[in-house]
Amino acid sequence: MFEVQSGSLCYNGKFIAASEPILTADNRSFRYGDGCFETMRVYQGRILLADLHFERLMSSMNLLHFDVPQQFTKAYFTRLITELCSRNGHERLARVRLTVFRSDGGLYDPINNLPNFIIQSWELNRQTLELNVTGLRLDIFPDVRKPSDKYSYIKSNNCLPYVMAAMYAKQHRINEAVLLNPCGRVADTTIANLFIVQGREIITPPLSEGGVCGVMRKNLLRMEMPFAVSEKPITVADLETADEIFLTNAVTGIRWVGAFRDSSYGNATAVILHELIHEGL
């Protein structure tokens, strides 16, 4: 979906060639997945849902016990992201990833808690702004149960369950794999939060079910809309009997699901929400 990056990246506030090596073998993100990240959409030079992204970033760094420098503000990162997109010619429409990781050193216990960061950008196709024409195909990833704890909602640099789920989806020719929690209920999917529609009600699992605290998910929950929206546990049986299923992601927005196993779905609600979300952005 995304091309290999060229041009520049930003490493700890400095702009360097994307091809230049910057990490050592002692890097804690490489060793342990020790850190977190944000993936954002930039449209016409502006970070969409910036407040929610930086709110989540600060919450994640505090939960991971980083010593957050005073300059790590929304304004600071916005300036760096804007300049990087300008340097790379990505102001029109881009995917941006901001990765934070702890300083080198130590075994499982770190030497210090100072954060380092890398910002990267990739150009996006305008099709990303449009609702998918063909419904996605979903199925359950059977090999992992995602924990439901206070770290489960962070976008962690330790993404092994999602990597294996994405491989499973590719091998089985489906678009997304659903990850379940230890109780066998829906947590989230490979790269998105999941919603179902039952009548006039839209339902998504609460974060206590193990899903990532998605920015587009949070944006949808706070929006005014002509539907009742609630957070309730979702079972596999609920997926099979839902009127609609759709996925949310900060980069791709809303994508509707056409099939889960032997069940098929329409997209009437997803069409309305897609328009409401893009008007709000």
Side-chain angles (χ1 to χ4, degrees):
M1 183 177 178
F2 302 110
E3 296 181 354
V4 175
Q5 188 193 19
S6 59
S8 300
L9 58 75
C10 180
Y11 175 55
N12 287 341
K14 296 180 179 179
F15 295 94
I16 60 176
S19 58
E20 185 175 332
I22 53 176
L23 304 181
T24 72
D26 293 328
N27 178 267
R28 292 187 61 86
S29 184
F30 166 70
R31 280 189 169 187
Y32 308 118
D34 186 4
C36 57
F37 69 97
E38 289 291 323
T39 306
M40 298 163 266
R41 187 201 297 179
V42 170
Y43 179 58
Q44 295 181 350
R46 184 170 64 91
I47 303 168
L48 301 185
L49 302 176
D51 287 343
L52 295 182
H53 278 293
F54 292 112
E55 176 185 293
R56 183 176 64 180
L57 177 65
M58 293 304 156
S59 174
S60 298
M61 284 196 289
N62 285 320
L63 189 59
L64 295 176
H65 301 295
F66 279 102
D67 294 330
V68 182
Q70 288 187 340
Q71 77 265 24
F72 274 29
T73 63
K74 174 188 169 185
Y76 173 70
F77 284 119
T78 297
R79 177 177 60 81
L80 294 176
I81 290 168
T82 302
E83 182 171 347
L84 178 66
C85 288
S86 177
R87 286 170 178 254
N88 288 337
H90 295 163
E91 305 100 321
R92 185 182 63 86
L93 184 60
R95 169 182 175 258
V96 170
R97 178 178 167 124
L98 167 57
T99 308
V100 177
F101 50 94
R102 217 177 306 269
S103 296
D104 291 359
L107 297 177
Y108 287 107
D109 55 321
I111 291 175
N112 65 64
N113 294 309
L114 295 175
N116 297 264
F117 67 89
I118 297 171
I119 307 174
Q120 300 166 276
S121 71
W122 296 264
E123 186 176 18
L124 286 176
N125 190 294
R126 280 199 64 84
Q127 194 173 21
T128 308
L129 300 175
E130 301 169 1
L131 185 65
N132 51 309
V133 176
T134 304
L136 305 181
R137 293 183 55 83
L138 294 188
D139 207 338
I140 303 296
F141 177 47
D143 299 341
V144 165
R145 290 292 184 267
K146 189 164 181 231
S148 303
D149 55 42
K150 70 178 185 179
Y151 302 109
S152 60
Y153 65 83
I154 294 175
K155 287 183 73 72
S156 167
N157 291 353
N158 187 344
C159 297
L160 186 59
Y162 294 106
V163 171
M164 302 314 295
M167 291 177 64
Y168 178 88
K170 186 174 183 179
Q171 291 163 358
H172 290 79
R173 298 182 181 180
I174 57 176
N175 300 104
E176 283 269 5
V178 178
L179 285 87
L180 304 180
N181 64 23
C183 298
R185 297 189 296 263
V186 173
D188 50 21
T189 76
T190 314
I191 60 168
N193 291 110
L194 182 146
F195 290 74
I196 64 172
V197 180
Q198 292 181 337
R200 296 289 292 177
E201 185 178 15
I202 298 172
I203 303 168
T204 192
L207 296 181
S208 57
E209 292 290 281
V212 165
C213 181
V215 160
M216 188 58 72
R217 172 190 184 276
K218 191 169 186 178
N219 180 58
L220 193 151
L221 288 174
R222 71 179 186 177
M223 285 174 53
E224 293 186 11
M225 63 178 70
F227 304 98
V229 184
S230 61
E231 296 176 279
K232 299 177 185 177
I234 294 176
T235 65
V236 175
D238 291 331
L239 296 180
E240 294 174 329
T241 59
D243 296 325
E244 295 182 46
I245 301 176
F246 63 87
L247 310 181
T248 62
N249 174 282
V251 174
T252 56
I254 281 187
R255 294 178 299 156
W256 65 281
V257 173
F260 171 73
R261 295 181 170 172
D262 295 328
S263 300
S264 58
Y265 314 92
N267 67 352
T269 305
V271 169
I272 295 170
L273 292 178
H274 178 265
E275 293 302 317
L276 289 175
I277 285 173
H278 278 268
E279 286 176 8
L281 296 176

